[in-house]
Amino acid sequence: MARPEKRTTLREVAEATGLSTAAVSYALRGKQVSKETEERVRKAAADLGYEADPIARALASGRTSMIGVLAGDLQDLWQQHLMAAIGRELLAGDRYALILDAGGDPARELALAKQLRDQRVDGLLVSPVDPSAEGWSKIADTVPVVSIGDALSRARTAGEVLFDNRAGIDAVLDYLRGLGHRRVTVLTPTGPSTPDRPADVYVREAADRLGIEVEVLPCAQELGEATAVARRVLAAGGGGAAGGDRGAVGDGGLAGGDGSVAGGGRPNAVFCFSDSIAYGVYAAAAEASLTIGRDISVVGFDDHPVSRVLTPPLTTVDWGLTDIAKEAARLAVAAIEGRRVRRKRILCAPRLSERGSALRVPE
Amino acid sequence: MARPEKRTTLREVAEATGLSTAAVSYALRGKQVSKETEERVRKAAADLGYEADPIARALASGRTSMIGVLAGDLQDLWQQHLMAAIGRELLAGDRYALILDAGGDPARELALAKQLRDQRVDGLLVSPVDPSAEGWSKIADTVPVVSIGDALSRARTAGEVLFDNRAGIDAVLDYLRGLGHRRVTVLTPTGPSTPDRPADVYVREAADRLGIEVEVLPCAQELGEATAVARRVLAAGGGGAAGGDRGAVGDGGLAGGDGSVAGGGRPNAVFCFSDSIAYGVYAAAAEASLTIGRDISVVGFDDHPVSRVLTPPLTTVDWGLTDIAKEAARLAVAAIEGRRVRRKRILCAPRLSERGSALRVPE
DNA sequence: TTGAAAGCGTTACCAT
DNA sequence: ATGGTAACGCTTTCAA
């Protein structure tokens, strides 16, 4: 193993054909050479098994054919799915996705973005944890950036595939209100270091407007952690929610009732800002012998495929993942190639998939 | 945007310090320089905002600090999860994961592996679709390869994190047999181009030995497609399975009964070679109003986190994903750094997580 | 259309 | 310990 067996180089092809390296370089890229020599060169290259060295090419040209893809938090199953889709999309266009995970940490996110730029990625696709961070500006000035989800408010991006979070949140709160809910617990992936995510801010506004009382609690995406948070929320019972003091762990007790919410009051409604978090609620509910869609209402966000396999299927907000991946890739590639595009800002409309995890509050 | 604003180079730092580029290069890497100048250089570099250009470094040193990670099929949620975990693991060691998806196609898999090698990845982590392919040999001779899952039978790999599929399959078949099942439908992600995957071969052997009749059917990982296949399997009803003729689409009908298997005979048992596929069975069962764990038995493979959130939770085989990611990364890094390791072959033992999706056959 | 040569920014070898 | 200087393999002016 590890016998690097010298690759054939451009020079060797040049010698074999009696041309200069420049001519060969052009020929192989089909530029300013006669059809005739192009053929000849191509054949020689094939015979010698020549393939351009991407690194040398990158150093000389400044381009790598790699696109950095920075996920805010890959613990989120939906983001995993999105990254996979983006990777496929880019690969179809002969580009590589260099996928990195910020793990929900805004500082790390910016650091990784810089590292990607240093790796000379041709472009950067980012699903930001902290879209309003100052640092994006400098990065977006150095490399074409396409943001997915929220807009990078401080940066001049090359494109945006935005989710209409306001409309999505409105739709969900409206829906819950229509079912009779007046108190809703919101579980958001936002960490303590990023208190002002657009969705978090907006959900309070919307709730106020609709006369709904919300309690917004932070929650990790990873199933175990999400379950732990959900456990506390459910244990708090009734229409309210767990204490806002995130340090406190609650009493660890579960809702005592079997088939009815502890306290016997109005059913709890939990609005999760990602389906992954909602799965934690399903897990915690099962532990507490609460039936989702009867004893408690749950609504997700983003619509991961498995959400429809749960019992009951999870009511959630769908943005159309496939199109998102396609559009994001398209925008990035267009920017890289210096092409002008009609719309650099795509706004995805929410589709509320009503599936049975939320119940009507009995009179 | 795209004003590359010249990065500071090594030469500039050299000029600023009055040293040679060589000295600076060494100093920054803490090699053969006096503590004193190292300090001085570091300071100057910091002041100038110098950071080494990874591309230039790669060209000169032959190393990129990137590790190629080739997934057999990223439609599989478990593989998505694994790739995310590996990415985190590598990043923790200051290496990048260049994640690519073969989409279940063996030819594509080899092509991508070659491309990754050409990209000068320092090492290659692969979860192979076709572990017995000839092509691995040449690749493994050029770059350190660590395979995950099945061993690359024709290649000299730098390490292996293998799943004891035989033991896993034995465990499941034993278990199903203990529940009284004598006919089992096996859904495998294997495509027509890779007919002889180790697991597919072995499951027949094991079934013969145990006196179980198996029917092995190919099935895509993507939920929609998996559901379609499962639909046909369930429609076939009884203890048997869908016709072996993969071209035929069946009649598209669903099991007619409500709460009992069509034909009224012994419950069907479906053994899925990935949890993703099992989710398709859940979906199809719901459509047909069949209750999993009562009307039909389902067992998965690989244990994705959401499997325990389903109703009923999916009985499946766990290999310990976190450790797999850790070990694979460790082996790859060790090989790259030329370190010797005690065990280059890790064998993961299966743990059958019995969770209620399989039922005892009534007498 | 083709060739010569100057980079691209490091690393690593060989002197000193 | 430090400096000089070839590589590394390609792209890209600039001339011919």
Side-chain angles (χ1 to χ4, degrees), chain A residues 67-71 74 83-84 86-87 96-101 116, chain B residues 74 87 91 96-100:
Chain A
I67 293 188
V69 185
L70 187 45
L74 271 192
M83 296 301 123
I86 289 175
Y96 299 93
L98 195 45
I99 302 171
L100 263 41
D101 175 14
L116 282 169
Chain B
L74 271 192
L91 198 55
Y96 299 92
L98 194 46
I99 302 171
L100 297 187

Side-chain angles (χ1 to χ4, degrees), chain B residues 204-218:
Chain B
R204 294 180 202 274
E205 291 175 24
D208 277 355
R209 184 156 31 76
L210 291 169
I212 290 178
E213 189 183 322
V214 290
E215 176 150 32
V216 182
L217 298 176

Side-chain angles (χ1 to χ4, degrees), chain B residues 257-276:
Chain B
D258 191 315
S260 76
V261 174
R266 115 193 343 155
N268 212 340
V270 184
F271 178 12
C272 305
F273 274 1
S274 86
D275 281 16
S276 285

Side-chain angles (χ1 to χ4, degrees), chain A:
Chain A
M1 132 191 56
R3 192 98 328 273
E5 58 173 275
K6 278 228 163 315
R7 297 167 56 98
T8 35
T9 73
L10 192 62
R11 176 142 43 218
E12 301 180 88
V13 180
E15 282 164 5
T17 53
L19 291 169
S20 71
T21 59
V24 174
S25 173
Y26 284 131
L28 257 21
R29 284 176 297 157
K31 301 216 159 193
Q32 30 178 316
V33 279
S34 62
K35 265 271 176 272
E36 186 180 28
T37 51
E38 174 168 344
E39 270 312 302
R40 192 159 54 94
V41 170
R42 248 182 233 304
K43 178 154 187 345
D47 288 349
L48 294 173
Y50 169 80
E51 276 173 80
D53 182 329
I55 301 295
R57 169 171 287 169
L59 183 59
S61 71
R63 253 163 283 116
T64 55
S65 77
M66 286 196 289
I67 293 188
V69 185
L70 187 45
D73 190 354
L74 271 192
Q75 300 269 26
D76 179 11
L77 299 186
W78 188 81
Q79 288 192 51
Q80 286 181 13
H81 195 168
L82 178 64
M83 296 301 123
I86 289 175
R88 267 198 300 283
E89 204 58 46
L90 291 176
L91 197 56
D94 259 330
R95 295 173 189 275
Y96 299 93
L98 195 45
I99 302 171
L100 263 41
D101 175 14
D105 178 351
R108 185 178 186 71
E109 171 170 78
L110 283 173
L112 290 178
K114 288 192 192 112
Q115 287 186 39
L116 282 169
R117 181 203 50 195
D118 290 348
Q119 282 287 339
R120 289 267 209 293
V121 292
D122 296 341
L124 192 53
L125 254 45
V126 53
S127 150
V129 174
D130 184 3
S132 59
E134 189 70 57
W136 290 118
S137 160
K138 209 160 101 185
I139 293 168
D141 286 343
T142 320
V143 59
V145 173
V146 173
S147 93
I148 301 174
D150 289 315
L152 302 179
S153 49
R154 312 275 244 283
R156 295 177 47 78
T157 53
E160 300 174 314
V161 182
L162 307 180
F163 305 164
D164 191 342
N165 278 317
R166 305 177 82 90
I169 289 170
D170 280 347
V172 171
L173 290 184
D174 258 348
Y175 171 66
L176 287 174
R177 191 174 194 292
L179 291 176
H181 291 282
R182 292 295 178 274
R183 310 180 71 182
V184 173
T185 302
V186 174
L187 261 29
T188 174
T190 305
S193 41
T194 322
D196 291 325
R197 286 236 313 196
D200 297 357
V201 172
Y202 189 70
V203 74
R204 293 181 202 275
E205 292 175 22
D208 277 356
R209 183 156 32 77
L210 291 169
I212 291 178
E213 190 182 321
V214 290
E215 176 150 32
V216 181
L217 299 176
C219 181
Q221 304 265 16
E222 192 271 328
L223 182 61
E225 299 179 53
T227 305
V229 172
R231 213 174 268 141
R232 291 198 299 264
V233 170
L234 299 187
D245 182 1
R246 291 191 297 94
V249 177
D251 62 7
L254 301 175
D258 192 314
S260 75
V261 173
R266 111 188 351 151
N268 212 341
V270 184
F271 178 13
C272 304
F273 274 1
S274 86
D275 282 15
S276 285
I277 291 177
Y279 303 158
V281 178
Y282 272 69
E287 289 174 6
S289 298
L290 296 175
T291 299
I292 287 177
R294 193 187 68 194
D295 304 321
I296 181 177
S297 292
V298 181
V299 177
F301 217 58
D302 288 349
D303 196 20
H304 187 279
V306 285
S307 292
R308 80 185 58 204
V309 182
L310 302 181
T311 310
L314 176 64
T315 293
T316 187
V317 175
D318 179 20
W319 305 102
L321 183 139
T322 311
D323 288 339
I324 291 169
K326 269 201 191 4
E327 293 295 346
R330 186 180 61 78
L331 285 172
V333 170
I336 290 167
E337 296 179 350
R339 268 188 285 121
R340 271 237 162 282
V341 290
R342 312 148 297 187
R343 301 177 308 151
K344 336 184 16 169
R345 163 183 299 231
I346 312 265
L347 191 64
C348 302
R351 285 185 292 262
L352 183 68
S353 292
E354 190 179 344
R355 293 203 271 240
S357 60
L359 68 156
R360 168 168 298 286
V361 176
E363 289 310 313

Side-chain angles (χ1 to χ4, degrees), chain B residues 30-335:
Chain B
K31 301 216 160 192
Q32 31 176 314
V33 278
S34 63
K35 265 272 177 266
E36 186 180 26
T37 51
E38 174 167 344
E39 271 311 304
R40 193 159 54 93
V41 170
R42 246 181 236 303
K43 176 149 188 351
D47 288 350
L48 294 173
Y50 169 80
E51 277 174 79
D53 183 330
I55 301 296
R57 168 171 289 170
L59 182 59
S61 72
R63 254 164 282 118
T64 54
S65 75
M66 287 197 288
I67 293 188
V69 185
L70 187 45
D73 190 353
L74 271 192
Q75 299 270 24
D76 178 11
L77 299 186
W78 188 81
Q79 289 192 51
Q80 286 181 14
H81 196 169
L82 178 64
M83 295 302 124
I86 289 175
R88 268 198 299 283
E89 204 58 48
L90 291 175
L91 198 55
D94 260 329
R95 295 172 189 276
Y96 299 92
L98 194 46
I99 302 171
L100 297 187
D101 175 14
D105 177 351
R108 185 177 186 71
E109 170 171 76
L110 283 173
L112 290 178
K114 287 191 192 114
Q115 287 185 39
L116 282 170
R117 181 202 51 195
D118 291 347
Q119 281 287 339
R120 288 271 205 289
V121 293
D122 296 341
L124 192 53
L125 253 47
V126 53
S127 150
V129 174
D130 184 2
S132 59
E134 189 71 57
W136 290 119
S137 160
K138 208 159 101 186
I139 293 168
D141 286 344
T142 321
V143 59
V145 173
V146 172
S147 92
I148 300 174
D150 288 316
L152 302 180
S153 50
R154 313 275 247 280
R156 295 177 45 79
T157 53
E160 299 173 315
V161 182
L162 306 180
F163 305 163
D164 192 343
N165 279 316
R166 305 176 84 90
I169 288 170
D170 279 347
V172 171
L173 290 183
D174 258 349
Y175 171 67
L176 288 175
R177 191 173 193 293
L179 291 176
H181 291 282
R182 293 294 177 276
R183 310 180 71 183
V184 173
T185 302
V186 174
L187 260 29
T188 174
T190 305
S193 41
T194 322
D196 291 325
R197 285 236 314 196
D200 297 356
V201 172
Y202 188 70
V203 74
R204 294 180 202 274
E205 291 175 24
D208 277 355
R209 184 156 31 76
L210 291 169
I212 290 178
E213 189 183 322
V214 290
E215 176 150 32
V216 182
L217 298 176
C219 182
Q221 304 265 15
E222 192 270 328
L223 182 61
E225 298 179 54
T227 305
V229 172
R231 213 174 270 141
R232 290 198 298 264
V233 170
L234 299 187
D245 182 0
R246 289 190 298 94
V249 177
D251 62 8
L254 302 176
D258 191 315
S260 76
V261 174
R266 115 193 343 155
N268 212 340
V270 184
F271 178 12
C272 305
F273 274 1
S274 86
D275 281 16
S276 285
I277 291 176
Y279 302 158
V281 178
Y282 272 68
E287 289 174 7
S289 297
L290 296 175
T291 298
I292 286 177
R294 193 187 69 196
D295 305 321
I296 180 177
S297 292
V298 181
V299 176
F301 217 58
D302 289 348
D303 195 20
H304 187 278
V306 285
S307 292
R308 79 185 58 204
V309 182
L310 301 181
T311 308
L314 176 65
T315 293
T316 187
V317 175
D318 179 20
W319 307 101
L321 183 140
T322 311
D323 289 339
I324 291 168
K326 269 202 193 357
E327 293 294 346
R330 186 180 61 78
L331 285 172
V333 170

